[in-house]
Amino acid sequence: MEASYVVRGEVVVVELKGRLNFDVTGPFRRACMERLVNEKVVFDLRGLSFVGSLGLKDFVDTLDHMSQNSATGLKFSGASSEFRRLFEASGIPPLSFFDSTEKAIQSFTPPPLGSLI
């Protein structure tokens, strides 16, 4: 798995690509806990795939920990139905999924007061 980080305004977009496996979940977890837990984060999962379950538990545990400890919450874009089912089955509190990274980024911005009327 490869991860690239792009800052878009106040939001860090983490684009994950490749195969999720056990070898990369440790470094991924450390990077998330040390650098991203206090940031507005969108995980773009479009390019991520997994084979088997090796590494999935650590990956899901990392996202669960971030979800519980993030003041701003996590957003996801491009999640396949497999990943959505995995997150739902894991018991992680409800996560925010979006069809596009742009919509996920925009969701961090509250609507203008005038639009509530």
Side-chain angles (χ1 to χ4, degrees):
M1 174 176 73
E2 296 176 21
S4 61
Y5 302 84
V6 177
V7 178
R8 305 264 308 270
E10 295 181 358
V11 179
V12 178
V13 177
V14 180
E15 186 176 328
L16 301 173
K17 291 182 180 179
R19 291 172 49 169
L20 178 62
N21 60 44
F22 184 74
D23 295 338
V24 297
T25 55
F28 174 75
R29 183 178 183 91
R30 282 189 298 280
C32 288
M33 296 303 114
E34 293 171 6
R35 298 182 188 130
L36 300 176
V37 75
N38 295 317
E39 302 289 338
K40 295 176 181 176
V41 179
V42 172
F43 285 100
D44 181 348
L45 305 180
R46 282 177 299 164
L48 188 63
S49 61
F50 66 86
V51 178
S53 62
L54 202 55
L56 286 179
K57 181 177 181 340
D58 286 340
F59 180 71
V60 170
D61 286 349
T62 298
L63 297 177
D64 184 29
H65 181 80
M66 285 189 68
S67 176
Q68 291 180 28
N69 293 294
S70 173
T72 58
L74 305 178
K75 314 288 182 174
F76 294 87
S77 66
S80 68
S81 59
E82 290 175 316
F83 274 110
R84 287 181 187 230
R85 284 194 303 268
L86 172 69
F87 292 140
E88 289 170 8
S90 71
I92 293 178
L95 299 173
S96 299
F97 293 100
F98 296 87
D99 294 332
S100 73
T101 300
E102 287 304 317
K103 288 181 182 176
I105 292 169
Q106 291 171 0
S107 73
F108 281 108
T109 305
L113 291 177
S115 68
L116 297 176
I117 299 174

